[in-house]
Amino acid sequence: MTGLVVKAELHCHIEGAIPPALARAQAKRYGVDTASFIAGDRYVWHDFTTFMAAYDEAAALFRTPEDYALLAEAYLGELDSAGAIYSEIFVSPDHARTAGLSAEAYIEGLAEGIARAKDKSGIECRMIVVGVRHLGAEAVEGAARFAASRPHPLITGFGMAGEERFGRVADYARAFDIARDAGLGITIHAGELVGPESVRDALDEVRPSRIGHGVRAIEDLDLVRRLADEGTVLEVCPGSNIALNVFPDFGAHPFRQLMDAGVKVTLASDDPPFFDTSLAREYALGSEAFGLSDVQLREMTRTAIEAAFVDEPTRQALLAKL
Ligand SMILES: Nc1ncnc2[nH]cnc12
Ligand SMILES: [Zn+2]
């Protein structure tokens, strides 16, 4: 039934959306051995650290603007087929630079793929530049300065991904100040690998309108009330959380508790092929694991579009499609 529900996605890392078969094809072109991180049609990893290592290896196989154009076009085509009308992708200039591609060329390639997808299906997409937390505060400030220079109109947000157990949120506050001052939307990964204190620090130090994951806020009901009161939107990625063992199974996942407590929740796929998921599967889980009706799923899509980092005319046009 959820196939009929109009969808929107606020949380997908474009490097995390590389299908293993495409990574293999890229590796063949560039003469890279994938044995350490792909087996058959699956990425090989067993915890967050080895997941990040496999992710970095896959990202390093994308080296030209056209490589990224094809990736963005393919991912958005898949989303369109699943009924999505809007997507935000996290983009990481640090990963591009490691692969020998300038941040500018990387963004141009992605923007080309986004434009091709929009021409084909009408799907809207925006880019959120992310800094990589475990590269340190200076690197994250560099990513923020790049985003704040507003190198492309489709870049509308700034965020931070990577190893949440590295450093303290306060170390990164300046990066977020730079991005906020430039008018970018703000989101931050928190409450995924670390508990409620990480979410509280994110709220206090960064003042985001959205939090990536945030699900471990459930360990502190005062914090859950604060999220509800302040209207902070959570980009919840249940398939990712179970794959990374943040919770043992969907029965233990707090999506429904957060929603019932009045927290604004949305569903997203994070790094779909790494976690055997897709936006379609996350919406199906919304129904099958969390008991949401199609009407509730559609309302959740509305929450996502209301929280999207887009200009008002685009937001209104998207809302009119619901
Ligand atoms: N689930 C995740 N958490 C933090 N950083 C990430 N980068 C890509 N996926 C991530
Ligand atoms: Zn993420």
Side-chain angles (χ1 to χ4, degrees), residues 281-294:
R281 176 170 179 253
E282 298 298 328
Y283 269 69
L285 283 167
S287 150
E288 291 155 20
F290 307 129
L292 270 60
S293 66
D294 280 4

Side-chain angles (χ1 to χ4, degrees), residues 11 13 16 48 51-52 55 160-164 189 192-193 213 240 244 270-271 275:
H11 189 127
H13 303 260
F48 186 80
F51 152 63
M52 276 277 97
Y55 177 101
M160 182 165 73
E163 174 54 81
E164 191 183 351
H189 282 61
E192 178 194 26
L193 308 175
H213 302 287
S240 161
L244 285 169
D270 206 7
D271 305 285
F275 304 141

Side-chain angles (χ1 to χ4, degrees), residues 165-203:
R165 293 164 290 198
F166 185 96
R168 297 162 314 144
V169 178
D171 302 335
Y172 302 92
R174 195 144 53 117
F176 285 94
D177 289 343
I178 292 167
R180 198 182 313 96
D181 288 350
L184 293 163
I186 300 292
T187 178
I188 177 171
H189 282 61
E192 178 194 26
L193 308 175
V194 180
E197 64 277 18
S198 175
V199 175
R200 200 175 296 106
D201 286 350
L203 292 174

Side-chain angles (χ1 to χ4, degrees), residues 111-300:
E112 170 63 23
I114 292 169
R116 286 184 208 157
K118 185 172 176 180
D119 281 351
K120 254 193 238 161
S121 68
I123 190 166
E124 283 286 352
C125 178
R126 298 292 183 270
M127 291 182 265
I128 302 177
V129 169
V130 286
V132 180
R133 182 167 179 152
H134 53 269
L135 297 183
E138 227 168 272
V140 175
E141 278 173 42
R145 276 195 299 276
F146 171 70
S149 74
R150 308 304 290 257
H152 196 283
L154 292 179
I155 293 176
T156 56
F158 179 73
M160 182 165 73
E163 174 54 81
E164 191 183 351
R165 293 164 290 198
F166 185 96
R168 297 162 314 144
V169 178
D171 302 335
Y172 302 92
R174 195 144 53 117
F176 285 94
D177 289 343
I178 292 167
R180 198 182 313 96
D181 288 350
L184 293 163
I186 300 292
T187 178
I188 177 171
H189 282 61
E192 178 194 26
L193 308 175
V194 180
E197 64 277 18
S198 175
V199 175
R200 200 175 296 106
D201 286 350
L203 292 174
D204 292 340
E205 305 283 348
V206 167
R207 309 194 308 280
S209 61
R210 301 182 350 210
I211 289 182
H213 302 287
V215 283
R216 288 193 55 191
I218 200 65
E219 296 165 31
D220 178 342
L221 294 181
D222 285 339
L223 178 61
V224 171
R225 262 188 295 277
R226 178 174 174 191
L227 290 168
D229 288 348
E230 295 182 7
T232 311
V233 173
L234 301 188
E235 304 153 5
V236 184
C237 309
S240 161
N241 296 154
I242 303 312
L244 285 169
N245 207 24
V246 175
F247 304 102
D249 53 45
F250 291 108
H253 194 283
F255 179 89
R256 188 71 209 209
Q257 280 166 274
L258 290 163
M259 184 180 147
D260 291 346
V263 178
K264 291 185 179 177
V265 286
T266 62
L267 282 171
S269 66
D270 206 7
D271 305 285
F274 286 86
F275 304 141
D276 291 323
T277 194
S278 63
L279 184 62
R281 176 170 179 253
E282 298 298 328
Y283 269 69
L285 283 167
S287 150
E288 291 155 20
F290 307 129
L292 270 60
S293 66
D294 280 4
V295 170
Q296 287 172 307
L297 287 170
R298 206 171 296 115
E299 280 310 301
M300 200 187 61

